[in-house]
Amino acid sequence: MKIIVAPDNRLNQVSKKIDIVDNTTISILDQMLECMYKNNGIGLAAPQVGILKRLVVVDCNDKSNNKKPLKLINPEIIKLSTENSEFEEGCLSLPTQYAKVKRPTEIIIKFQNVKGVFCKEVFSGLEATCIQHEIDHLDGKLFVDHISKLKKNIIIKKLIKLKKKIKNE
């Protein structure tokens, strides 16, 4: 699996719902998790690896030997807190680029697990931010869509230069 670097039209498309949770779905989630860990990420959405399906993996545990991966199928935010937190966000699809983003501190999401069972769970802090960031990817949005147009344009220009440099190496 290879991470797509912005700007790339695939990152702006809305992902399709998973109808049946099968071995293929589980295999994709496992590969995504491996890719996320290999690239030192804390979250990864399927569109970031060119798969336009509503799949997300997250692991905000900071201890590398104590992994707590979450595999979310068709995640959907059903409630947002009114209180906001601000975190400096980065993204595997926007390497070396960071910006402060305000998001609700707590969320309730519904999703399917790898057994296809529907779940509802509350997340807060960094985990809530990370899940919102990844669900944005499923809806064709990037964290830079939450900052000023000026800052976004600066980041996108830097990424265009980075992609040209990589292409020429």
Side-chain angles (χ1 to χ4, degrees), residues 36-112:
M36 180 191 80
Y37 287 135
K38 190 176 100 187
N39 289 281
N40 299 313
I42 60 170
L44 185 68
Q48 292 179 269
V49 290
I51 300 167
L52 292 174
K53 305 259 184 198
R54 297 191 79 77
L55 298 170
V56 165
V57 292
V58 171
D59 190 346
C60 294
N61 196 356
D62 58 359
K63 295 180 183 78
S64 59
N65 60 350
N66 192 16
K67 295 177 178 167
K68 278 182 57 182
L70 279 170
K71 297 174 182 175
L72 308 173
I73 301 164
N74 298 321
E76 186 183 329
I77 298 169
I78 54 175
K79 189 171 185 198
L80 299 165
S81 68
T82 53
E83 183 185 332
N84 288 323
S85 297
E86 188 174 66
F87 282 96
E88 185 164 76
E89 293 189 25
C91 181
L92 295 174
S93 290
L94 289 88
T96 72
Q97 302 304 308
Y98 301 90
K100 287 187 188 280
V101 178
K102 273 188 185 167
R103 296 184 187 266
T105 303
E106 192 174 272
I107 60 170
I108 300 174
I109 65 165
K110 72 177 184 180
F111 62 95
Q112 285 174 273

Side-chain angles (χ1 to χ4, degrees), residues 15-32:
S15 296
K16 299 208 178 342
K17 192 174 183 248
I18 298 284
D19 294 321
I20 299 166
V21 178
D22 56 14
N23 289 338
T24 303
T25 304
I26 295 165
S27 174
I28 291 168
L29 286 164
D30 290 340
Q31 289 174 59
M32 285 172 57

Side-chain angles (χ1 to χ4, degrees), residues 114-147:
V114 292
K115 291 183 167 98
V117 175
F118 286 90
C119 306
K120 191 160 88 169
E121 213 167 314
V122 178
F123 294 94
S124 59
L126 178 60
E127 226 172 11
T129 295
C130 184
I131 290 168
Q132 290 172 79
H133 175 113
E134 300 310 331
I135 289 174
D136 272 358
H137 278 298
L138 303 181
D139 296 327
K141 293 183 189 142
L142 302 171
F143 81 87
V144 291
D145 295 326
H146 295 279
I147 61 176

